[in-house]
Amino acid sequence: MKKLSLQLAGGITLLGAIAAMPAMAETNVSKISQAMSSDAVAQNVTSVSQLSDVRPTDWAFTALQSLVERYGCIAGYPDRTFRGNQATSRYEFAAGLNACLDKINEIISAGLADKVSKEDLATLQKLQEEFAAELATLRGRVDALDAKTAKLEAQQFSTTTKLSGEAIMSVQGGSGNTGAPTSTNVFVSSRVRLDLNTSFTGSDLLKTRLEVGNGTVNIPTAFGAGSGPAGSNIGFQTYGQDYTGLAGGSTFTLAKLRYDFNIADARVSVGPVMHAYDHIDTNSYANNEAVDFVSTFFINNPLHVLVNNQTGGAGAAFDWNISKSAFTLRGLYLAGNGAQPAATAANNGGLFGDAYQATAELEFAPKNDKGEKPFALKLLYTNGSVANTDINAGGVNVEWKFAKGAALFGRYGFGSTKRTPILGAATADLSPQTWMFGLAFPDLFKEGAMAGIAVGQPFIENKVGNATQTNLELFYNFPVTSNIRITPDVQFIFNPNNSSANSTIFVGTLRTVFSF
């Protein structure tokens, strides 16, 4: 960039002052400069004192003061800083120059030409000549962006709703011996989700999900895995793919319908079709059957996600970050048969009947210097009833990214269940425990990829069986493109159904996920 020695009234070059600018506001050109920067949104200022890092002793203070207060063509970053020592490109400089030209043109058009000094006009004229090529390029980009925006607005699905989708196709099979009447062959499964995300105010969200799949029976069922209360995660059917065994089969089902909105510092959700895993017991490395582990056990704690069928339950949840600190409090209530007005032999239905769960969660997750949360510790308490089984449980959920490409995570749960019989036991009262621990390797071999390995025991109770079932799962999620991912996954189930008489089960899965 050629040095220009044309002076402003304050004795500082206009070139030096504008060159230090962040993206300008209130112009189409500013949109381009904002797109070039990670600090996206500029903040208008009317006084140089509003810029927290600009001081009267700074060499460009007088020039900045003039440009802000005389012409109003400087904006700060979202945190009200100016960052005058930050390097700028010729295109960013041209965007700032164009913003000042527009402001001065507005002043002249308003009949206030006497407020613009001849020296400033001469300087701007020479700057305009110096950056003619860049200004032409930026204006060409703006015209193209305006045309593209107009086209998208004319052809968009909705002014308030965005459509997104996910399709899972997988091949899986298993081998082993649990004494079940049938064994499994290699077979294929699929699931398609269509999400309609609607916002009326910009901060709220009405989420509607339609879901369909072809899998109605999964591998654990084929192996005769013992189960706990119907519709819950409790039991030994924990190595089934989370996206198979859909109640609706090949018929589209309303799989989610809830409304999220803000009340002060809390995010509140209400709806007739909600799921616990959206609000509690989340984990960055073991919580998404499309990205990480396929089995239900490693996705959620079986003692804390009780209402876990495809259509979830009716209820409400909140997420409250306490005074913008490292502590967050969450609460959830779900009724699995909230839409059922009459009692049945299996449950008494309704919003406050079986099945239901009420969960409270307290999270401690401090931010580091980069604003990230590499460590999170969550304490949970759940009270519920599923299939006439009363459940009280406590739990812990932890994750820690201790290196750039490595993290550990785990869950532990303990509690009590009351029902006769349950899981084949002769006693009405059980005190089960459950745990899992794993390692994740983000960006392994490729950015966006992730590998993971986890081991755990879904149901530890010496009154049930003569051994403890142990699950081991490994996966590698590889992004082929930004919209296609392939994941090989293997599982080993030792002592299935808490019985040493049952041989080890092997389950292999090749999962492909398309997102759009």
Side-chain angles (χ1 to χ4, degrees):
M1 187 186 299
K2 287 194 292 185
K3 297 287 184 180
L4 298 180
S5 59
L6 300 164
Q7 304 295 314
L8 276 174
I12 305 299
T13 62
L14 183 61
L15 172 61
I18 300 179
M21 292 181 188
M24 295 297 105
E26 301 180 353
T27 67
N28 285 333
V29 176
S30 71
K31 297 176 183 177
I32 295 177
S33 62
Q34 289 172 7
M36 297 175 180
S37 167
S38 61
D39 296 275
V41 181
Q43 299 291 319
N44 292 335
V45 294
T46 58
S47 172
V48 72
S49 63
Q50 293 175 270
L51 300 170
S52 62
D53 59 346
V54 176
R55 296 172 177 80
T57 55
D58 292 337
W59 67 270
F61 180 83
T62 305
L64 291 172
Q65 186 178 42
S66 176
L67 288 170
V68 171
E69 298 175 6
R70 290 178 61 190
Y71 300 121
C73 62
I74 282 185
Y77 285 97
D79 59 358
R80 290 294 184 182
T81 61
F82 184 69
R83 307 180 197 177
N85 293 323
Q86 182 170 299
T88 187
S89 69
R90 287 180 65 90
Y91 280 121
E92 289 171 324
F93 181 89
L97 173 61
N98 192 81
C100 278
L101 288 171
D102 287 346
K103 286 291 184 180
I104 289 176
N105 283 333
E106 289 177 11
I107 293 173
I108 294 173
S109 298
L112 303 173
D114 57 321
K115 292 195 174 185
V116 183
S117 70
K118 294 181 179 179
E119 291 82 359
D120 289 355
L121 290 174
T123 299
L124 287 170
Q125 182 177 358
K126 291 197 174 185
L127 284 171
Q128 192 171 11
E129 294 171 358
E130 168 72 12
F131 288 89
E134 286 81 4
L135 289 170
T137 300
L138 288 172
R139 286 165 181 158
R141 291 182 183 179
V142 169
D143 291 342
L145 287 172
D146 285 345
K148 186 175 182 180
T149 300
K151 183 178 179 180
L152 289 174
E153 289 178 348
Q155 298 178 350
Q156 65 183 332
F157 172 74
S158 168
T159 57
T160 58
T161 303
K162 293 182 179 180
L163 172 66
S164 63
E166 175 189 274
I168 297 178
M169 296 187 295
S170 71
V171 180
Q172 56 267 317
S175 64
N177 179 17
T178 63
T182 60
S183 60
T184 183
N185 294 316
V186 176
F187 64 103
V188 296
S189 294
S190 66
R191 186 190 70 189
V192 176
R193 284 176 169 174
L194 298 177
D195 286 347
L196 300 171
N197 300 306
T198 304
S199 180
F200 304 100
T201 66
S203 62
D204 63 341
L205 173 67
L206 175 64
K207 190 170 189 70
T208 306
R209 171 174 293 171
L210 301 177
E211 189 171 272
V212 65
N214 74 333
T216 56
V217 178
N218 57 28
I219 288 177
T221 301
F223 274 110
S227 63
S232 76
N233 276 346
I234 299 175
F236 305 114
Q237 294 186 332
T238 53
Y239 51 95
Q241 286 82 358
D242 189 79
Y243 49 85
T244 61
L246 302 181
S250 57
T251 302
F252 265 102
T253 300
L254 180 62
K256 201 177 298 292
L257 180 60
R258 73 168 196 267
Y259 182 58
D260 303 342
F261 56 95
N262 297 327
I263 297 181
D265 292 333
R267 186 73 167 174
V268 178
S269 302
V270 295
V273 186
M274 297 175 58
H275 294 85
Y277 56 73
D278 287 331
H279 307 280
I280 55 102
D281 196 40
T282 59
N283 192 286
S284 300
Y285 309 104
N287 203 208
N288 187 338
E289 71 280 3
V291 176
D292 44 68
F293 298 95
V294 300
S295 65
T296 57
F297 176 48
F298 292 116
I299 292 173
N300 282 115
N301 191 317
L303 290 176
H304 290 280
V305 177
L306 305 178
V307 180
N308 195 44
N309 52 29
Q310 184 184 17
T311 54
F318 71 87
D319 185 310
W320 174 39
N321 179 240
I322 304 172
S323 300
K324 296 182 172 58
S325 67
F327 291 93
T328 300
L329 181 64
R330 301 182 180 94
L332 167 77
Y333 180 85
L334 283 186
N337 295 297
Q340 180 178 300
T344 67
N347 59 71
N348 52 8
L351 193 59
F352 301 103
D354 187 318
Y356 81 89
Q357 77 167 84
T359 301
E361 177 182 278
L362 179 64
E363 177 186 35
F364 173 69
K367 292 183 179 180
N368 60 16
D369 294 339
K370 298 179 181 179
E372 301 168 339
K373 297 180 179 179
F375 175 81
L377 175 67
K378 301 172 184 177
L379 304 178
L380 300 96
Y381 171 74
T382 296
N383 171 266
S385 180
V386 181
N388 298 315
T389 301
D390 295 329
I391 301 158
N392 279 282
V396 178
N397 179 327
V398 64
E399 61 181 81
W400 179 31
K401 188 176 183 180
F402 58 87
K404 183 178 180 181
L408 59 82
F409 55 92
R411 292 184 175 98
Y412 172 69
F414 61 95
S416 64
T417 63
K418 290 186 178 183
R419 184 176 186 267
T420 304
I422 178 173
L423 300 171
T427 177
D429 299 335
L430 296 177
S431 300
Q433 298 181 67
T434 180
W435 67 269
M436 58 85 72
F437 173 80
L439 292 170
F441 304 95
D443 300 324
L444 183 64
F445 303 132
K446 183 178 181 180
E447 185 176 359
M450 187 168 76
I453 178 172
V455 62
Q457 296 177 319
F459 196 87
I460 306 170
E461 171 55 83
N462 57 18
K463 297 176 183 178
V464 179
N466 63 354
T468 300
Q469 177 174 309
T470 301
N471 295 23
L472 173 66
E473 184 172 351
L474 307 87
F475 74 89
Y476 179 62
N477 183 280
F478 180 80
V480 179
T481 69
S482 58
N483 300 101
I484 303 175
R485 290 178 172 270
I486 296 177
T487 308
D489 181 285
V490 294
Q491 296 183 68
F492 298 90
I493 316 301
F494 306 96
N495 300 319
N497 294 353
N498 275 16
S499 174
S500 60
N502 294 328
S503 63
T504 299
I505 295 173
F506 167 80
V507 179
T509 304
L510 182 62
R511 176 187 65 199
T512 302
V513 179
F514 304 87
S515 58
F516 51 92

